[in-house]
Amino acid sequence: MNRENSRERYDRALDVLVGGVNSSVRAAPQPYPTFVEKGDAGHVVDADGNRYVDWVMGLGPLLLGHDLPESVQAAVQRRASEGPMYGMPTELEVEHAEFLARHVPSVEMVRFVNSGTEATTSAVRLARGVTGRNKIVVMQGGYHGAQESTLVEGDAEHPGPSSAGIPQSFAEHTLPVPFNDAEAAKEVFERHGDDIACVLVEPMLANKGIVEPVEGYHETLRDLTDEHGSLLVWDEVITGFRVGGLGCAQSKYGVTPDLTTFGKIIGGGFPVGAIGGRTDLMEEFTPVGDVFQAGTFSGHPVTMAAGLETLKFAAENDVYEHVNDLGSQLRTGLEDVVAERAPEYSVVGTDSLFKVAFTRGANADRSDDNPGPRNAADVAAGAVERWNRVFRPQMLDSGVMLSQNQFESQFVSYAHTEEDVERTLDAYRSVL
Ligand SMILES: *Cc1c(COP(=O)(O)O)cnc(C)c1O
């Protein structure tokens, strides 16, 4: 496969863009990233004219694939041509917020922002402002964007920054605990309960393999936060309108958080984030309350139009049936391939998320168990180099674009077809 143009563009990029990219994970593919020319339904075409089945899907936002339906296309064009933004409110923001409040159990009010990172940053500030407490509990291997309070590693008694540039004095307010470990959660609340503003948790670890919650884990976090007067904040930036359909993961798992962060799908492919929650909490944000929050581009008309029309399209068509059905076909097919070709690996994911983890959970031998990873430590034990250097490049040669590192999820869109699924399963079968 000729990738000369990608190579040449990356060579140029290395002179003017740090690492040749604008977001770190894009530089992960070996030996250089594929530069995209354009999208087409469930495929992307690269700078050399090669076509791939695309399971990256913008890292999650593209629920409908690369070709936006007529209604979305028209709304975007109209807003862009009427003047892209105003710094004054538009009805679109109201309508989008009404949609979120109507469908997501925990959401009464919304504040739109411009990225998932901004959403989690504001949610943590709100939780701290509301409770008057400083500490937050996060999951080891959880991801909440590139922000100071969550780029933290270690454990609850020894937290430290996971990036240069973050003071230890910030990191010490963040208490990382292992996902799916109810005892560790109870212990951190026994020790620090009176100082904990919130637990910030993804419904599943969706940026570190795909690790689903074990039965009862989220209920434990709900109970602990209630008992100690802390807030439960669900980061649904990736799962929102992806897992659990229009009700999001909180409706699938039947747990209602105090605050929820959104991003990705709710912008229909344009930059977006949002915080949603109960009125009494949300009204602590300025201009009603005292927790400052603002943004020049927040509620951007083009984004609001794209996001709202995407969600409306999903509500009025068989989008979730389609993506979840293909997701299930992929996972079932991959389980056969893995059983036959790589029994030391496991198939993970739910709804329209799928992945082969190059490892199994520490509990995998218990026969009634899901053999997949149960926490970040299980995921980290995966065969990363094999995935990066051998497996992914061969999948690319077979015309299948997988996630850019082993830990990102892969996403089914409404534009994908059964033929894409078959082709992908064939490629896994011959490459694994
Ligand atoms: C993608 C993601 C973020 C960060 O969103 P950005 O828009 O990249 O800032 C935060 N949390 C989760 C769970 C995510 O998947």
Side-chain angles (χ1 to χ4, degrees):
M1 190 177 274
N2 178 23
R3 278 198 281 270
E4 196 50 36
N5 287 336
S6 280
R7 197 192 62 76
E8 180 274 331
R9 281 156 178 70
Y10 191 57
D11 195 19
R12 262 170 64 205
L14 284 169
D15 283 338
V16 287
L17 294 170
V18 180
V21 292
N22 283 302
S23 191
S24 300
V25 72
R26 295 177 205 168
Q30 302 275 348
Y32 47 82
T34 300
F35 276 64
V36 175
E37 193 65 30
K38 62 172 184 179
D40 178 15
H43 300 176
V44 283
V45 176
D46 75 10
D48 293 280
N50 303 307
R51 176 178 284 269
Y52 310 88
V53 183
D54 176 21
W55 302 111
V56 176
M57 280 294 144
L59 290 159
L62 303 181
L63 178 63
L64 306 180
H66 293 289
D67 299 335
L68 301 177
E70 180 54 35
S71 59
V72 184
Q73 193 76 257
V76 168
Q77 304 285 355
R78 185 186 140 203
R79 293 293 160 181
S81 69
E82 285 174 349
M85 53 87 73
Y86 310 103
M88 290 183 275
T90 62
E91 187 181 2
L92 272 172
E93 299 160 71
V94 186
E95 237 190 288
H96 198 328
E98 284 169 348
F99 190 101
L100 297 184
R102 195 157 61 241
H103 288 96
V104 189
S106 70
V107 175
E108 292 173 4
M109 299 196 93
V110 176
R111 172 63 54 88
F112 286 109
V113 293
N114 305 291
S115 69
T117 299
E118 220 185 303
T120 64
T121 306
S122 298
V124 167
R125 187 182 312 129
L126 184 62
R128 286 173 166 156
V130 166
T131 59
R133 301 171 179 182
N134 286 339
K135 293 198 185 304
I136 66 168
V137 174
V138 299
M139 301 300 133
Q140 291 164 358
Y143 184 67
H144 306 290
Q147 64 129 319
E148 267 59 13
S149 290
T150 60
L151 289 176
V152 173
E153 60 190 11
D155 60 38
E157 301 312 310
H158 309 93
S162 64
S163 162
I166 295 177
Q168 175 63 30
S169 58
F170 289 13
E172 70 196 26
H173 295 302
T174 300
L175 312 176
V177 298
F179 188 59
N180 276 335
D181 184 339
E183 285 313 308
K186 286 177 192 158
E187 200 177 305
V188 80
F189 270 94
E190 267 162 34
R191 292 197 185 199
H192 301 285
D194 293 345
D195 300 322
I196 295 172
C198 69
V199 173
L200 174 60
V201 61
E202 295 169 80
M204 61 189 63
L205 300 185
N207 291 275
K208 188 81 174 171
I210 304 171
V211 182
E212 287 179 72
V214 297
E215 190 79 31
Y217 182 65
H218 283 303
E219 285 80 356
T220 301
L221 296 181
R222 181 64 281 181
D223 292 345
L224 285 168
T225 45
D226 280 341
E227 281 163 28
H228 291 84
S230 311
L231 300 185
L232 180 62
V233 185
W234 271 29
D235 183 353
E236 293 229 42
V237 170
I238 219 166
T239 55
F241 300 95
R242 166 78 55 191
V243 173
L246 296 174
C248 305
Q250 52 200 260
S251 69
K252 178 171 172 122
Y253 294 126
V255 171
T256 305
D258 299 299
L259 296 173
T260 304
T261 54
F262 301 95
K264 299 196 169 115
I265 286 177
I266 69 161
F270 292 82
V272 79
I275 308 99
R278 291 204 314 274
T279 300
D280 63 308
L281 298 174
M282 291 298 292
E283 286 193 336
E284 294 294 326
F285 273 137
T286 53
V288 182
D290 297 327
V291 178
F292 186 74
Q293 210 296 315
T296 302
F297 291 107
S298 296
H300 194 285
V302 178
T303 298
M304 292 294 102
L308 179 62
E309 290 302 329
T310 295
L311 294 179
K312 281 198 208 157
F313 185 90
E316 289 160 11
N317 294 275
D318 61 342
V319 171
Y320 292 109
E321 291 86 336
H322 181 85
V323 296
N324 293 349
D325 180 43
L326 291 191
S328 155
Q329 287 182 34
L330 279 159
R331 289 186 301 272
T332 308
L334 287 172
E335 268 162 24
D336 292 343
V337 172
V338 161
E340 183 193 319
R341 312 272 308 167
E344 67 279 26
Y345 297 163
S346 50
V347 179
V348 294
T350 182
D351 294 27
S352 58
L353 300 172
F354 76 98
K355 190 142 186 105
V356 173
F358 274 32
T359 185
R360 286 160 75 86
N363 287 333
D365 292 339
R366 280 164 44 193
S367 57
D368 59 340
D369 247 350
N370 167 354
R374 284 304 173 81
N375 55 40
D378 281 356
V379 175
V384 175
E385 289 301 306
R386 176 151 197 250
W387 198 92
N388 285 345
R389 294 176 184 277
V390 182
F391 172 71
R392 188 183 185 279
Q394 276 185 271
M395 289 296 282
L396 199 67
D397 282 340
S398 313
V400 178
M401 180 71 72
L402 296 182
S403 60
Q404 295 162 103
N405 69 23
Q406 210 208 311
F407 306 116
E408 306 283 342
S409 299
Q410 292 162 176
F411 304 91
V412 182
S413 79
Y414 192 55
H416 283 113
T417 62
E418 294 200 354
E419 197 186 320
D420 294 330
V421 168
E422 282 313 314
R423 216 168 121 202
T424 300
L425 290 173
D426 287 345
Y428 271 98
R429 193 172 291 113
S430 64
V431 173
L432 262 182

Short mmCIF file of all heavy atoms in Angstrom, two decimals, residues 23 59 114-120 142-146 202-204 206-207 235-239 261-264 271-273 408, ligand 1:
data_model
loop_
_atom_site.label_atom_id
_atom_site.label_comp_id
_atom_site.label_asym_id
_atom_site.label_seq_id
_atom_site.Cartn_x
_atom_site.Cartn_y
_atom_site.Cartn_z
N SER A 23 -2.82 16.60 18.83
CA SER A 23 -3.33 15.89 20.00
C SER A 23 -2.48 14.63 20.08
O SER A 23 -2.27 13.95 19.06
CB SER A 23 -4.81 15.56 19.83
OG SER A 23 -5.36 15.09 21.06
N LEU A 59 -12.67 9.65 17.12
CA LEU A 59 -12.50 9.32 18.55
C LEU A 59 -13.82 9.37 19.31
O LEU A 59 -13.84 9.60 20.51
CB LEU A 59 -11.43 10.19 19.22
CG LEU A 59 -10.00 9.89 18.75
CD1 LEU A 59 -9.06 11.05 19.01
CD2 LEU A 59 -9.46 8.63 19.42
N ASN A 114 -16.90 24.02 25.41
CA ASN A 114 -16.32 23.73 24.09
C ASN A 114 -15.53 22.45 23.96
O ASN A 114 -15.04 22.12 22.90
CB ASN A 114 -15.44 24.90 23.66
CG ASN A 114 -16.23 26.19 23.69
OD1 ASN A 114 -17.12 26.38 22.88
ND2 ASN A 114 -15.94 27.03 24.66
N SER A 115 -15.35 21.74 25.07
CA SER A 115 -14.64 20.46 25.00
C SER A 115 -14.99 19.66 26.24
O SER A 115 -15.51 20.20 27.23
CB SER A 115 -13.13 20.67 24.94
OG SER A 115 -12.65 21.17 26.18
N GLY A 116 -14.69 18.37 26.15
CA GLY A 116 -14.88 17.52 27.31
C GLY A 116 -13.99 17.96 28.46
O GLY A 116 -14.40 17.93 29.63
N THR A 117 -12.79 18.37 28.14
CA THR A 117 -11.87 18.85 29.16
C THR A 117 -12.47 20.03 29.92
O THR A 117 -12.43 20.08 31.16
CB THR A 117 -10.54 19.31 28.50
OG1 THR A 117 -9.94 18.20 27.84
CG2 THR A 117 -9.58 19.89 29.51
N GLU A 118 -13.03 20.95 29.17
CA GLU A 118 -13.64 22.13 29.80
C GLU A 118 -14.83 21.71 30.68
O GLU A 118 -15.07 22.29 31.75
CB GLU A 118 -14.11 23.07 28.69
CG GLU A 118 -13.87 24.53 28.97
CD GLU A 118 -14.49 25.38 27.86
OE1 GLU A 118 -14.13 25.19 26.68
OE2 GLU A 118 -15.32 26.22 28.20
N ALA A 119 -15.56 20.71 30.22
CA ALA A 119 -16.72 20.24 30.99
C ALA A 119 -16.28 19.65 32.33
O ALA A 119 -16.85 19.96 33.38
CB ALA A 119 -17.52 19.21 30.19
N THR A 120 -15.26 18.79 32.30
CA THR A 120 -14.85 18.16 33.57
C THR A 120 -14.17 19.18 34.48
O THR A 120 -14.33 19.12 35.70
CB THR A 120 -13.90 16.95 33.35
OG1 THR A 120 -12.69 17.39 32.74
CG2 THR A 120 -14.57 15.90 32.47
N GLY A 142 -8.77 6.20 34.57
CA GLY A 142 -9.87 7.02 34.05
C GLY A 142 -9.30 8.17 33.25
O GLY A 142 -8.15 8.56 33.43
N TYR A 143 -10.09 8.72 32.36
CA TYR A 143 -9.63 9.89 31.58
C TYR A 143 -10.69 10.97 31.59
O TYR A 143 -11.86 10.69 31.32
CB TYR A 143 -9.30 9.51 30.13
CG TYR A 143 -8.74 10.66 29.35
CD1 TYR A 143 -7.49 11.20 29.66
CD2 TYR A 143 -9.47 11.25 28.30
CE1 TYR A 143 -6.98 12.28 28.95
CE2 TYR A 143 -8.95 12.33 27.58
CZ TYR A 143 -7.71 12.84 27.91
OH TYR A 143 -7.20 13.91 27.20
N HIS A 144 -10.28 12.17 31.93
CA HIS A 144 -11.23 13.28 31.99
C HIS A 144 -10.70 14.51 31.25
O HIS A 144 -11.05 15.64 31.58
CB HIS A 144 -11.55 13.61 33.45
CG HIS A 144 -12.00 12.42 34.23
ND1 HIS A 144 -13.23 11.83 34.01
CD2 HIS A 144 -11.38 11.66 35.15
CE1 HIS A 144 -13.35 10.77 34.81
NE2 HIS A 144 -12.23 10.64 35.50
N GLY A 145 -9.84 14.26 30.26
CA GLY A 145 -9.29 15.35 29.48
C GLY A 145 -7.98 15.84 30.05
O GLY A 145 -7.45 15.30 31.03
N ALA A 146 -7.45 16.88 29.42
CA ALA A 146 -6.13 17.39 29.75
C ALA A 146 -6.26 18.51 30.77
O ALA A 146 -6.15 19.68 30.44
CB ALA A 146 -5.44 17.89 28.48
N GLU A 202 -16.01 7.75 35.00
CA GLU A 202 -16.66 7.34 33.75
C GLU A 202 -17.55 6.14 34.08
O GLU A 202 -17.15 5.29 34.87
CB GLU A 202 -15.62 6.90 32.72
CG GLU A 202 -14.68 7.98 32.23
CD GLU A 202 -13.54 7.35 31.42
OE1 GLU A 202 -13.75 7.04 30.24
OE2 GLU A 202 -12.44 7.15 31.97
N PRO A 203 -18.69 6.01 33.42
CA PRO A 203 -19.53 4.83 33.65
C PRO A 203 -18.76 3.54 33.39
O PRO A 203 -18.97 2.53 34.04
CB PRO A 203 -20.65 4.98 32.64
CG PRO A 203 -20.68 6.44 32.31
CD PRO A 203 -19.29 6.96 32.48
N MET A 204 -17.86 3.58 32.41
CA MET A 204 -16.92 2.48 32.16
C MET A 204 -15.61 3.14 31.78
O MET A 204 -15.61 4.26 31.28
CB MET A 204 -17.43 1.59 31.03
CG MET A 204 -17.59 2.30 29.72
SD MET A 204 -18.43 1.33 28.46
CE MET A 204 -20.00 1.13 29.22
N ALA A 206 -13.43 3.99 29.36
CA ALA A 206 -13.57 3.92 27.90
C ALA A 206 -12.35 4.50 27.20
O ALA A 206 -12.31 4.58 25.97
CB ALA A 206 -14.84 4.62 27.46
N ASN A 207 -11.38 4.95 27.95
CA ASN A 207 -10.14 5.45 27.36
C ASN A 207 -8.96 4.59 27.79
O ASN A 207 -7.81 4.94 27.56
CB ASN A 207 -9.89 6.90 27.76
CG ASN A 207 -10.91 7.85 27.13
OD1 ASN A 207 -10.74 8.28 26.01
ND2 ASN A 207 -11.98 8.14 27.85
N ASP A 235 -18.70 11.18 34.18
CA ASP A 235 -18.13 11.71 32.96
C ASP A 235 -18.65 10.88 31.78
O ASP A 235 -18.14 9.80 31.50
CB ASP A 235 -16.60 11.68 33.04
CG ASP A 235 -15.96 12.30 31.81
OD1 ASP A 235 -16.68 12.62 30.85
OD2 ASP A 235 -14.71 12.47 31.83
N GLU A 236 -19.67 11.40 31.14
CA GLU A 236 -20.28 10.71 29.99
C GLU A 236 -19.84 11.35 28.66
O GLU A 236 -20.58 11.34 27.69
CB GLU A 236 -21.81 10.69 30.11
CG GLU A 236 -22.34 9.83 31.26
CD GLU A 236 -23.45 8.89 30.82
OE1 GLU A 236 -23.34 8.28 29.74
OE2 GLU A 236 -24.43 8.77 31.59
N VAL A 237 -18.65 11.92 28.66
CA VAL A 237 -18.16 12.54 27.42
C VAL A 237 -18.12 11.52 26.29
O VAL A 237 -18.50 11.83 25.16
CB VAL A 237 -16.78 13.20 27.64
CG1 VAL A 237 -16.16 13.62 26.31
CG2 VAL A 237 -16.90 14.40 28.57
N ILE A 238 -17.71 10.30 26.61
CA ILE A 238 -17.62 9.30 25.55
C ILE A 238 -18.88 8.42 25.50
O ILE A 238 -19.33 8.03 24.43
CB ILE A 238 -16.34 8.44 25.72
CG1 ILE A 238 -15.69 8.11 24.38
CG2 ILE A 238 -16.61 7.13 26.45
CD1 ILE A 238 -14.29 7.56 24.50
N THR A 239 -19.48 8.12 26.66
CA THR A 239 -20.63 7.21 26.69
C THR A 239 -21.94 7.94 26.40
O THR A 239 -22.93 7.29 26.03
CB THR A 239 -20.76 6.52 28.06
OG1 THR A 239 -20.80 7.52 29.08
CG2 THR A 239 -19.60 5.57 28.31
N THR A 261 -21.03 15.12 32.86
CA THR A 261 -20.33 15.87 31.82
C THR A 261 -20.54 15.18 30.48
O THR A 261 -20.60 13.95 30.41
CB THR A 261 -18.82 15.99 32.11
OG1 THR A 261 -18.28 14.68 32.32
CG2 THR A 261 -18.57 16.84 33.34
N PHE A 262 -20.66 16.00 29.45
CA PHE A 262 -20.86 15.51 28.08
C PHE A 262 -19.82 16.13 27.16
O PHE A 262 -19.16 17.11 27.50
CB PHE A 262 -22.25 15.91 27.55
CG PHE A 262 -23.40 15.38 28.36
CD1 PHE A 262 -23.98 16.17 29.35
CD2 PHE A 262 -23.90 14.12 28.14
CE1 PHE A 262 -25.04 15.69 30.10
CE2 PHE A 262 -24.97 13.63 28.88
CZ PHE A 262 -25.54 14.43 29.87
N GLY A 263 -19.74 15.59 25.95
CA GLY A 263 -18.87 16.14 24.90
C GLY A 263 -19.15 15.35 23.65
O GLY A 263 -20.26 14.87 23.43
N LYS A 264 -18.13 15.20 22.81
CA LYS A 264 -18.18 14.31 21.65
C LYS A 264 -19.52 14.34 20.90
O LYS A 264 -19.78 15.29 20.18
CB LYS A 264 -17.74 12.91 22.09
CG LYS A 264 -16.30 12.98 22.63
CD LYS A 264 -15.55 11.70 22.76
CE LYS A 264 -14.07 12.00 23.03
NZ LYS A 264 -13.56 11.59 24.32
N PRO A 271 -16.57 21.08 17.93
CA PRO A 271 -16.05 21.10 19.31
C PRO A 271 -17.14 21.42 20.32
O PRO A 271 -17.87 22.40 20.17
CB PRO A 271 -15.01 22.23 19.29
CG PRO A 271 -14.71 22.46 17.86
CD PRO A 271 -15.94 22.08 17.09
N VAL A 272 -17.23 20.59 21.38
CA VAL A 272 -18.32 20.79 22.34
C VAL A 272 -18.02 20.12 23.67
O VAL A 272 -17.21 19.21 23.76
CB VAL A 272 -19.64 20.21 21.78
CG1 VAL A 272 -19.69 18.70 21.94
CG2 VAL A 272 -20.87 20.85 22.43
N GLY A 273 -18.68 20.60 24.69
CA GLY A 273 -18.75 19.94 25.99
C GLY A 273 -19.97 20.48 26.68
O GLY A 273 -20.58 21.46 26.22
N GLU A 408 -7.51 3.26 23.31
CA GLU A 408 -8.70 3.99 22.87
C GLU A 408 -9.78 3.01 22.42
O GLU A 408 -9.49 1.94 21.91
CB GLU A 408 -8.36 4.90 21.67
CG GLU A 408 -7.21 5.86 21.90
CD GLU A 408 -7.59 7.06 22.73
OE1 GLU A 408 -8.79 7.35 22.87
OE2 GLU A 408 -6.66 7.70 23.27
C1 LIG B 1 -12.67 12.55 25.24
C2 LIG B 1 -12.92 12.56 26.72
C3 LIG B 1 -12.68 13.70 27.51
C4 LIG B 1 -12.01 14.92 26.95
O1 LIG B 1 -12.77 15.54 25.98
P1 LIG B 1 -12.03 16.59 24.99
O2 LIG B 1 -13.15 17.11 24.13
O3 LIG B 1 -11.01 15.79 24.25
O4 LIG B 1 -11.42 17.64 25.84
C5 LIG B 1 -13.06 13.68 28.83
N1 LIG B 1 -13.61 12.58 29.37
C6 LIG B 1 -13.85 11.47 28.67
C7 LIG B 1 -14.49 10.30 29.32
C8 LIG B 1 -13.49 11.41 27.32
O5 LIG B 1 -13.69 10.29 26.62
#
